[in-house]
mmCIF file of all heavy atoms in Angstrom:
data_model
loop_
_atom_site.group_PDB
_atom_site.id
_atom_site.type_symbol
_atom_site.label_atom_id
_atom_site.label_comp_id
_atom_site.label_asym_id
_atom_site.label_seq_id
_atom_site.Cartn_x
_atom_site.Cartn_y
_atom_site.Cartn_z
ATOM 1 N N SER A 1 -14.453 -12.269 27.361
ATOM 2 C CA SER A 1 -13.986 -12.889 26.128
ATOM 3 C C SER A 1 -14.192 -11.979 24.905
ATOM 4 O O SER A 1 -13.373 -11.949 24.018
ATOM 5 C CB SER A 1 -14.811 -14.188 25.829
ATOM 6 O OG SER A 1 -14.680 -15.141 26.952
ATOM 7 N N ASP A 2 -15.285 -11.175 24.890
ATOM 8 C CA ASP A 2 -15.588 -10.468 23.734
ATOM 9 C C ASP A 2 -14.745 -9.259 23.481
ATOM 10 O O ASP A 2 -14.392 -8.782 22.381
ATOM 11 C CB ASP A 2 -17.075 -10.069 23.828
ATOM 12 C CG ASP A 2 -18.002 -11.184 23.586
ATOM 13 O OD1 ASP A 2 -17.601 -12.125 22.906
ATOM 14 O OD2 ASP A 2 -19.132 -11.135 24.107
ATOM 15 N N VAL A 3 -14.340 -8.565 24.622
ATOM 16 C CA VAL A 3 -13.549 -7.363 24.441
ATOM 17 C C VAL A 3 -12.145 -7.690 23.812
ATOM 18 O O VAL A 3 -11.663 -7.028 22.827
ATOM 19 C CB VAL A 3 -13.353 -6.669 25.841
ATOM 20 C CG1 VAL A 3 -12.284 -5.527 25.693
ATOM 21 C CG2 VAL A 3 -14.625 -6.046 26.290
ATOM 22 N N PRO A 4 -11.370 -8.731 24.404
ATOM 23 C CA PRO A 4 -10.143 -9.042 23.629
ATOM 24 C C PRO A 4 -10.355 -9.496 22.228
ATOM 25 O O PRO A 4 -9.523 -9.154 21.303
ATOM 26 C CB PRO A 4 -9.590 -10.162 24.554
ATOM 27 C CG PRO A 4 -10.184 -10.027 25.773
ATOM 28 C CD PRO A 4 -11.532 -9.494 25.528
ATOM 29 N N SER A 5 -11.354 -10.184 21.970
ATOM 30 C CA SER A 5 -11.695 -10.695 20.555
ATOM 31 C C SER A 5 -11.912 -9.507 19.643
ATOM 32 O O SER A 5 -11.521 -9.494 18.462
ATOM 33 C CB SER A 5 -12.938 -11.557 20.622
ATOM 34 O OG SER A 5 -12.725 -12.766 21.368
ATOM 35 N N SER A 6 -12.674 -8.448 20.137
ATOM 36 C CA SER A 6 -12.923 -7.341 19.271
ATOM 37 C C SER A 6 -11.629 -6.598 18.921
ATOM 38 O O SER A 6 -11.544 -6.122 17.779
ATOM 39 C CB SER A 6 -13.885 -6.330 20.091
ATOM 40 O OG SER A 6 -13.093 -5.704 21.147
ATOM 41 N N LEU A 7 -10.641 -6.640 19.748
ATOM 42 C CA LEU A 7 -9.337 -5.983 19.432
ATOM 43 C C LEU A 7 -8.672 -6.748 18.288
ATOM 44 O O LEU A 7 -8.133 -6.213 17.374
ATOM 45 C CB LEU A 7 -8.449 -5.934 20.659
ATOM 46 C CG LEU A 7 -7.121 -5.319 20.497
ATOM 47 C CD1 LEU A 7 -7.245 -3.857 19.996
ATOM 48 C CD2 LEU A 7 -6.220 -5.442 21.749
ATOM 49 N N VAL A 8 -8.718 -8.109 18.362
ATOM 50 C CA VAL A 8 -8.048 -8.929 17.333
ATOM 51 C C VAL A 8 -8.839 -8.654 15.949
ATOM 52 O O VAL A 8 -8.200 -8.485 14.981
ATOM 53 C CB VAL A 8 -8.232 -10.460 17.645
ATOM 54 C CG1 VAL A 8 -7.752 -11.272 16.535
ATOM 55 C CG2 VAL A 8 -7.365 -10.726 18.918
ATOM 56 N N VAL A 9 -10.161 -8.631 15.965
ATOM 57 C CA VAL A 9 -10.895 -8.421 14.712
ATOM 58 C C VAL A 9 -10.644 -7.038 14.181
ATOM 59 O O VAL A 9 -10.507 -6.857 13.005
ATOM 60 C CB VAL A 9 -12.434 -8.625 14.967
ATOM 61 C CG1 VAL A 9 -13.212 -8.381 13.655
ATOM 62 C CG2 VAL A 9 -12.761 -10.004 15.476
ATOM 63 N N PHE A 10 -10.540 -6.082 15.125
ATOM 64 C CA PHE A 10 -10.198 -4.694 14.623
ATOM 65 C C PHE A 10 -8.818 -4.709 13.950
ATOM 66 O O PHE A 10 -8.714 -4.058 12.887
ATOM 67 C CB PHE A 10 -10.188 -3.828 15.902
ATOM 68 C CG PHE A 10 -9.367 -2.494 15.707
ATOM 69 C CD1 PHE A 10 -9.809 -1.510 14.916
ATOM 70 C CD2 PHE A 10 -8.135 -2.384 16.343
ATOM 71 C CE1 PHE A 10 -9.089 -0.317 14.772
ATOM 72 C CE2 PHE A 10 -7.294 -1.265 16.190
ATOM 73 C CZ PHE A 10 -7.883 -0.144 15.416
ATOM 74 N N LEU A 11 -7.874 -5.334 14.448
ATOM 75 C CA LEU A 11 -6.491 -5.399 13.921
ATOM 76 C C LEU A 11 -6.485 -6.030 12.531
ATOM 77 O O LEU A 11 -5.756 -5.691 11.665
ATOM 78 C CB LEU A 11 -5.520 -6.105 14.842
ATOM 79 C CG LEU A 11 -5.310 -5.347 16.136
ATOM 80 C CD1 LEU A 11 -4.355 -6.195 17.058
ATOM 81 C CD2 LEU A 11 -4.607 -3.966 15.941
ATOM 82 N N VAL A 12 -7.412 -7.079 12.366
ATOM 83 C CA VAL A 12 -7.531 -7.703 11.083
ATOM 84 C C VAL A 12 -8.274 -6.769 10.103
ATOM 85 O O VAL A 12 -7.896 -6.722 8.916
ATOM 86 C CB VAL A 12 -8.303 -9.051 11.229
ATOM 87 C CG1 VAL A 12 -8.636 -9.695 9.874
ATOM 88 C CG2 VAL A 12 -7.463 -10.039 12.085
ATOM 89 N N ALA A 13 -9.357 -6.121 10.638
ATOM 90 C CA ALA A 13 -10.189 -5.366 9.760
ATOM 91 C C ALA A 13 -9.612 -4.081 9.233
ATOM 92 O O ALA A 13 -9.876 -3.676 8.058
ATOM 93 C CB ALA A 13 -11.584 -5.076 10.479
ATOM 94 N N LEU A 14 -8.757 -3.443 10.048
ATOM 95 C CA LEU A 14 -8.294 -2.062 9.663
ATOM 96 C C LEU A 14 -7.512 -2.112 8.349
ATOM 97 O O LEU A 14 -7.882 -1.352 7.469
ATOM 98 C CB LEU A 14 -7.395 -1.570 10.813
ATOM 99 C CG LEU A 14 -6.751 -0.215 10.573
ATOM 100 C CD1 LEU A 14 -7.791 0.904 10.341
ATOM 101 C CD2 LEU A 14 -5.854 0.194 11.725
ATOM 102 N N PRO A 15 -6.500 -2.989 8.200
ATOM 103 C CA PRO A 15 -5.798 -2.910 6.842
ATOM 104 C C PRO A 15 -6.662 -3.418 5.698
ATOM 105 O O PRO A 15 -6.516 -2.968 4.617
ATOM 106 C CB PRO A 15 -4.570 -3.871 7.092
ATOM 107 C CG PRO A 15 -4.895 -4.708 8.307
ATOM 108 C CD PRO A 15 -5.868 -3.872 9.143
ATOM 109 N N LEU A 16 -7.608 -4.372 6.017
ATOM 110 C CA LEU A 16 -8.473 -4.848 4.982
ATOM 111 C C LEU A 16 -9.486 -3.731 4.480
ATOM 112 O O LEU A 16 -9.782 -3.565 3.334
ATOM 113 C CB LEU A 16 -9.193 -6.083 5.467
ATOM 114 C CG LEU A 16 -8.381 -7.354 5.605
ATOM 115 C CD1 LEU A 16 -9.207 -8.499 6.183
ATOM 116 C CD2 LEU A 16 -7.727 -7.728 4.260
ATOM 117 N N CYS A 17 -9.992 -3.012 5.437
ATOM 118 C CA CYS A 17 -10.963 -1.928 5.054
ATOM 119 C C CYS A 17 -10.263 -0.898 4.209
ATOM 120 O O CYS A 17 -10.769 -0.416 3.192
ATOM 121 C CB CYS A 17 -11.473 -1.222 6.391
ATOM 122 S SG CYS A 17 -12.671 -2.184 7.296
ATOM 123 N N LEU A 18 -8.993 -0.531 4.564
ATOM 124 C CA LEU A 18 -8.159 0.431 3.842
ATOM 125 C C LEU A 18 -7.850 -0.121 2.432
ATOM 126 O O LEU A 18 -7.950 0.528 1.447
ATOM 127 C CB LEU A 18 -6.902 0.777 4.590
ATOM 128 C CG LEU A 18 -7.017 1.665 5.878
ATOM 129 C CD1 LEU A 18 -5.720 1.758 6.639
ATOM 130 C CD2 LEU A 18 -7.567 3.017 5.556
ATOM 131 N N GLY A 19 -7.429 -1.416 2.423
ATOM 132 C CA GLY A 19 -7.120 -2.057 1.199
ATOM 133 C C GLY A 19 -8.239 -2.188 0.207
ATOM 134 O O GLY A 19 -8.149 -1.867 -1.021
ATOM 135 N N VAL A 20 -9.379 -2.586 0.736
ATOM 136 C CA VAL A 20 -10.587 -2.742 -0.144
ATOM 137 C C VAL A 20 -11.040 -1.389 -0.747
ATOM 138 O O VAL A 20 -11.411 -1.184 -1.871
ATOM 139 C CB VAL A 20 -11.754 -3.426 0.592
ATOM 140 C CG1 VAL A 20 -13.043 -3.375 -0.161
ATOM 141 C CG2 VAL A 20 -11.447 -4.825 0.961
ATOM 142 N N ALA A 21 -10.962 -0.345 0.135
ATOM 143 C CA ALA A 21 -11.304 0.997 -0.251
ATOM 144 C C ALA A 21 -10.338 1.540 -1.337
ATOM 145 O O ALA A 21 -10.711 2.141 -2.365
ATOM 146 C CB ALA A 21 -11.325 2.041 0.883
ATOM 147 N N LEU A 22 -9.081 1.166 -1.173
ATOM 148 C CA LEU A 22 -8.015 1.587 -2.156
ATOM 149 C C LEU A 22 -8.308 0.940 -3.436
ATOM 150 O O LEU A 22 -8.243 1.619 -4.532
ATOM 151 C CB LEU A 22 -6.658 1.179 -1.562
ATOM 152 C CG LEU A 22 -5.534 1.258 -2.585
ATOM 153 C CD1 LEU A 22 -5.204 2.738 -2.960
ATOM 154 C CD2 LEU A 22 -4.204 0.605 -1.960
ATOM 155 N N ALA A 23 -8.637 -0.364 -3.449
ATOM 156 C CA ALA A 23 -8.836 -1.108 -4.746
ATOM 157 C C ALA A 23 -10.154 -0.652 -5.376
ATOM 158 O O ALA A 23 -10.299 -0.767 -6.576
ATOM 159 C CB ALA A 23 -8.783 -2.579 -4.471
ATOM 160 N N SER A 24 -11.176 -0.213 -4.551
ATOM 161 C CA SER A 24 -12.506 -0.009 -5.073
ATOM 162 C C SER A 24 -12.701 1.319 -5.646
ATOM 163 O O SER A 24 -13.563 1.516 -6.506
ATOM 164 C CB SER A 24 -13.579 -0.217 -3.872
ATOM 165 O OG SER A 24 -13.470 -1.446 -3.406
ATOM 166 N N THR A 25 -11.990 2.349 -5.128
ATOM 167 C CA THR A 25 -12.278 3.716 -5.577
ATOM 168 C C THR A 25 -11.357 4.375 -6.478
ATOM 169 O O THR A 25 -11.376 5.580 -6.674
ATOM 170 C CB THR A 25 -12.466 4.528 -4.150
ATOM 171 O OG1 THR A 25 -11.236 4.406 -3.444
ATOM 172 C CG2 THR A 25 -13.638 4.106 -3.458
ATOM 173 N N GLY A 26 -10.471 3.632 -7.086
ATOM 174 C CA GLY A 26 -9.662 4.114 -8.222
ATOM 175 C C GLY A 26 -8.590 5.015 -7.886
ATOM 176 O O GLY A 26 -7.900 4.932 -6.887
ATOM 177 N N ASP A 27 -8.390 6.028 -8.773
ATOM 178 C CA ASP A 27 -7.206 6.962 -8.765
ATOM 179 C C ASP A 27 -7.246 7.915 -7.638
ATOM 180 O O ASP A 27 -6.266 8.401 -7.123
ATOM 181 C CB ASP A 27 -7.109 7.631 -10.063
ATOM 182 C CG ASP A 27 -5.882 8.461 -10.203
ATOM 183 O OD1 ASP A 27 -4.770 7.992 -9.814
ATOM 184 O OD2 ASP A 27 -5.974 9.720 -10.374
ATOM 185 N N ASN A 28 -8.533 8.283 -7.182
ATOM 186 C CA ASN A 28 -8.639 9.249 -6.091
ATOM 187 C C ASN A 28 -9.299 8.453 -4.894
ATOM 188 O O ASN A 28 -10.472 8.538 -4.681
ATOM 189 C CB ASN A 28 -9.478 10.397 -6.445
ATOM 190 C CG ASN A 28 -8.931 11.235 -7.627
ATOM 191 O OD1 ASN A 28 -7.718 11.641 -7.549
ATOM 192 N ND2 ASN A 28 -9.633 11.391 -8.755
ATOM 193 N N PRO A 29 -8.384 7.664 -4.267
ATOM 194 C CA PRO A 29 -9.018 6.780 -3.257
ATOM 195 C C PRO A 29 -9.809 7.455 -2.165
ATOM 196 O O PRO A 29 -9.224 8.470 -1.562
ATOM 197 C CB PRO A 29 -7.757 6.010 -2.665
ATOM 198 C CG PRO A 29 -6.671 6.252 -3.679
ATOM 199 C CD PRO A 29 -6.934 7.683 -4.330
ATOM 200 N N ASN A 30 -10.945 6.965 -1.849
ATOM 201 C CA ASN A 30 -11.744 7.429 -0.723
ATOM 202 C C ASN A 30 -11.622 6.371 0.346
ATOM 203 O O ASN A 30 -12.524 5.524 0.490
ATOM 204 C CB ASN A 30 -13.269 7.608 -1.236
ATOM 205 C CG ASN A 30 -14.055 8.168 -0.086
ATOM 206 O OD1 ASN A 30 -13.661 8.266 1.049
ATOM 207 N ND2 ASN A 30 -15.348 8.377 -0.353
ATOM 208 N N LEU A 31 -10.561 6.437 1.064
ATOM 209 C CA LEU A 31 -10.261 5.361 2.068
ATOM 210 C C LEU A 31 -11.232 5.355 3.267
ATOM 211 O O LEU A 31 -11.573 4.435 3.892
ATOM 212 C CB LEU A 31 -8.847 5.495 2.598
ATOM 213 C CG LEU A 31 -7.778 5.338 1.486
ATOM 214 C CD1 LEU A 31 -6.336 5.355 2.128
ATOM 215 C CD2 LEU A 31 -7.924 4.201 0.629
ATOM 216 N N PHE A 32 -11.806 6.563 3.508
ATOM 217 C CA PHE A 32 -12.746 6.668 4.587
ATOM 218 C C PHE A 32 -14.010 5.822 4.380
ATOM 219 O O PHE A 32 -14.583 5.312 5.242
ATOM 220 C CB PHE A 32 -13.097 8.152 4.948
ATOM 221 C CG PHE A 32 -14.086 8.242 6.055
ATOM 222 C CD1 PHE A 32 -13.704 8.012 7.421
ATOM 223 C CD2 PHE A 32 -15.441 8.544 5.756
ATOM 224 C CE1 PHE A 32 -14.632 8.124 8.477
ATOM 225 C CE2 PHE A 32 -16.343 8.670 6.843
ATOM 226 C CZ PHE A 32 -15.895 8.495 8.193
ATOM 227 N N SER A 33 -14.334 5.678 3.070
ATOM 228 C CA SER A 33 -15.542 4.979 2.664
ATOM 229 C C SER A 33 -15.386 3.531 3.174
ATOM 230 O O SER A 33 -16.358 2.855 3.460
ATOM 231 C CB SER A 33 -15.801 5.013 1.214
ATOM 232 O OG SER A 33 -14.753 4.429 0.477
#
């Protein structure tokens, strides 16, 4: 159950992690953060 669930959470988290980093770090985005 957990392996398929982790894939779903990963797909949700990836764009959100990038988006939050974009909004948080200003003009020179540090998306890896």
Side-chain angles (χ1 to χ4, degrees):
S1 300
D2 291 331
V3 172
S5 299
S6 69
L7 181 60
V8 172
V9 179
F10 159 72
L11 294 175
V12 172
L14 178 60
L16 289 176
C17 286
L18 291 171
V20 171
L22 170 66
S24 299
T25 52
D27 183 55
N28 297 305
N30 179 0
L31 301 186
F32 180 72
S33 65

